[in-house]
Amino acid sequence: MNIPSQHTYDPTPVSPATKRVLVVDDHQLICEGIAEALDEVGGFDVDWTLKAGHLREKIDTHDYDLVILDTRLPDPVNVAYVEQVVAQLGAAPLLLLAETVHAEFLDSVLEVGAAGVIEKNVKFSVFINVISLVLAGGQYMPRSAVGADAKAPA
């Protein structure tokens, strides 16, 4: 059985209100689930890949309004990598997707230009609100990584 490692959106012109989103996660279920969920909401055209190695190539060949990047890929997703991706994206926000968020990592990626870090265990309604926030130019900081409730770095 041949399982695809990426999905590219249909290049057919879309409504100016439609937001093009790239999801990068090494779990196909997560990529397809986010794509289907955003399709249900409407107004999103979602592309995805399972490999961080495809991310920079996709950014070079397509214009995205938002990139959602998992922090736990086989390829390292560290602060330097986040900074490179942010620079390559230009004005489009980069939202990191994590199992847990550490305050030190959050501060570092926000400092280099990421739009925020969202935990994978949030409710769908929160996820959609965070996407709306970052598309409007805001930054998102999960409560679990801010203040006294912050987790210590691993």
Side-chain angles (χ1 to χ4, degrees):
M1 181 173 169
N2 187 10
I3 298 174
S5 65
Q6 60 185 329
H7 166 75
T8 301
Y9 60 77
D10 181 353
T12 306
V14 295
S15 159
T18 299
K19 300 296 183 187
R20 294 191 188 268
V21 177
L22 173 62
V23 179
V24 184
D25 194 300
D26 57 331
H27 296 95
Q28 187 168 347
L29 181 63
I30 298 292
C31 291
E32 289 181 355
I34 290 172
E36 287 184 30
L38 292 177
D39 187 51
E40 287 290 318
V41 169
F44 295 96
D45 186 20
V46 181
D47 183 5
W48 56 265
T49 183
L50 302 175
K51 298 179 181 179
H54 293 152
L55 169 62
R56 303 201 54 201
E57 175 187 319
K58 285 184 165 289
I59 294 171
D60 280 341
T61 57
H62 303 291
D63 290 327
Y64 294 103
D65 297 297
L66 171 66
V67 172
I68 301 171
L69 173 64
D70 183 20
T71 61
R72 302 266 314 189
L73 296 170
D75 302 314
V77 176
N78 54 30
V79 176
Y81 183 76
V82 169
E83 185 172 26
Q84 292 170 0
V85 172
V86 166
Q88 189 177 0
L89 279 170
L94 174 66
L95 180 62
L96 300 172
L97 188 61
E99 291 178 28
T100 59
V101 180
H102 303 292
E104 184 177 304
F105 179 74
L106 175 65
D107 291 343
S108 296
V109 297
L110 290 176
E111 188 173 300
V112 299
V117 182
I118 188 166
E119 293 174 318
K120 289 184 175 181
N121 66 352
V122 298
K123 293 180 181 179
F124 179 69
S125 60
V126 172
F127 183 68
I128 294 302
N129 287 336
V130 170
I131 288 175
S132 296
L133 173 71
V134 300
L135 284 171
Q139 286 188 319
Y140 176 74
M141 295 171 276
R143 195 173 306 164
S144 65
V146 179
D149 295 331
K151 299 175 176 107

